[in-house]
Amino acid sequence: MRAWRDAGEFILVRGRRIYCRRAGAGPRLLLIHGFPTSSLDWAPMWPMLTSRFEVLAFDLLGLGFSAKPRGHGYRVREQADLAEAVAHHYGWDAAFVLAHDYGDTVAQELLARSGQGDANAALRIVRLCLLNGGLFPETHRARLIQRLLASPLGPGLVGLMSRRSFARSLNALFSPTRPLGEAGVDEYWALLQHEQGLHAVPSLLGYMAERRRERSRWVGALQTARMPVRLVCGALDPVSGLHMCERYRELVPHADVVVLDDVGHFPQLEDPQRVFAAAADFFLDDGAPARG
């Protein structure tokens, strides 16, 4: 965790410190992580990705090493604004995008802007690769703890969270044959607590309600995308696994799907080699560079 932090830097976006890490050379690739983790999710794939791409990862507001303002109403559109601001800071106006979980929803908002000629779009998505996430509110099987933390009880329940309960909830999302491991749990628990980050959890979980309210815009963005989109799905994910993948095939025309039968919710952690192969093949199959 410390090595990951020290290899990156902090930039200011609207007066808030945002953690970023950039490395490699080649076509530009933006990584967007999920909840409740951080850009550290990409560490197992980092050497592979940076061998083929110029890679930019960052921690979303309220997560990882980025700022976690108290009393803030975290919103998906704000996180999309942040992704655009981070890209702009490094001189990017176009990129491949690889996203996971909550990051999928952020990417759907970016896709809606990029694909519809939105005047607010500051980042053109050249190709989009999505990992497991709640792409469709009707297939998102939120865990009980997520529903409770997102409810009015959330602020009070946060104080009752422990490393043990966190480990149990997190590992329930992994394939039984590919658990996260104690060291990984320790790192993610430390990151969640960094700068008293637990207080942000209930507000961050508001993305579940946002998905329902914005379903037409965000699902529509997938259905009408003007650029190639691929879904790489860990089938054993209890929240957004094979059932979500089947819905994707129903709703998205000419669906490009890669199913990892023995993988859970965190494909990039559980089988980074296969995820890299699926993503790199997709991004580079015609050699089109992602440069602004």
Side-chain angles (χ1 to χ4, degrees), residues 3-258:
W4 182 262
R5 179 195 60 196
D6 292 346
E9 63 178 344
F10 289 89
I11 67 172
L12 282 179
V13 177
R14 297 180 180 177
R16 296 192 173 105
R17 279 164 49 93
I18 301 299
Y19 174 80
C20 304
R21 184 173 179 184
R22 183 175 62 151
R28 290 170 172 171
L29 173 61
L30 179 69
L31 308 179
I32 311 177
H33 70 85
F35 172 91
T37 52
S38 77
S39 60
L40 186 64
D41 288 352
W42 307 112
M45 293 180 63
W46 193 256
M48 292 178 278
L49 291 172
T50 55
S51 72
R52 302 292 298 277
F53 303 93
E54 180 184 356
V55 187
L56 175 57
F58 68 102
D59 287 346
L60 292 164
L61 190 69
L63 293 166
F65 292 117
S66 287
K68 300 172 179 178
R70 279 192 172 274
H72 188 71
Y74 296 90
R75 297 292 181 267
V76 170
R77 293 197 187 209
E78 179 186 34
Q79 303 283 21
D81 291 344
L82 173 61
E84 291 179 334
V86 168
H88 178 75
H89 176 85
Y90 291 98
W92 294 19
D93 60 13
F96 297 137
V97 174
L98 175 61
H100 174 243
D101 186 75
Y102 180 32
D104 285 0
T105 310
V106 176
Q108 283 174 273
E109 170 58 25
L110 291 172
L111 186 64
R113 300 177 186 185
S114 183
Q116 296 173 10
D118 192 319
N120 293 321
L123 177 68
R124 180 173 61 88
I125 298 178
V126 179
R127 290 178 176 242
L128 172 62
C129 185
L130 300 165
L131 306 182
N132 295 61
L135 302 178
F136 314 103
E138 65 269 26
T139 61
H140 183 243
R141 298 174 180 172
R143 310 296 285 181
L144 176 60
I145 185 61
Q146 288 179 299
R147 296 197 299 271
L148 289 172
L149 287 169
S151 77
L153 300 174
L157 291 174
V158 159
L160 301 177
M161 288 180 65
S162 67
R163 191 263 185 206
R164 182 178 180 182
S165 63
F166 175 74
R168 185 169 58 249
S169 297
L170 193 59
N171 261 319
L173 303 179
F174 284 72
S175 163
T177 61
R178 302 171 186 268
L180 178 59
E182 294 302 310
V185 170
D186 285 341
E187 288 187 326
Y188 282 121
W189 178 241
L191 279 168
L192 193 58
Q193 291 183 301
H194 181 67
E195 293 189 357
Q196 299 182 314
L198 285 173
H199 70 79
V201 167
S203 180
L204 282 163
L205 279 166
Y207 68 76
M208 294 191 294
E210 285 187 87
R211 284 171 175 167
R212 294 189 292 270
R213 291 194 301 269
E214 299 282 355
R215 185 190 185 282
S216 177
R217 176 176 172 82
W218 292 341
V219 174
L222 293 174
Q223 294 174 315
T224 61
R226 298 177 184 176
M227 68 290 294
V229 180
R230 169 170 286 183
L231 171 64
V232 178
C233 179
L236 300 183
D237 174 9
V239 175
S240 300
L242 191 59
H243 61 286
M244 182 276 291
C245 181
E246 291 169 350
R247 184 65 168 158
Y248 186 92
R249 286 185 168 124
E250 289 176 3
L251 295 181
V252 178
H254 313 294
D256 179 351
V257 179
V258 176

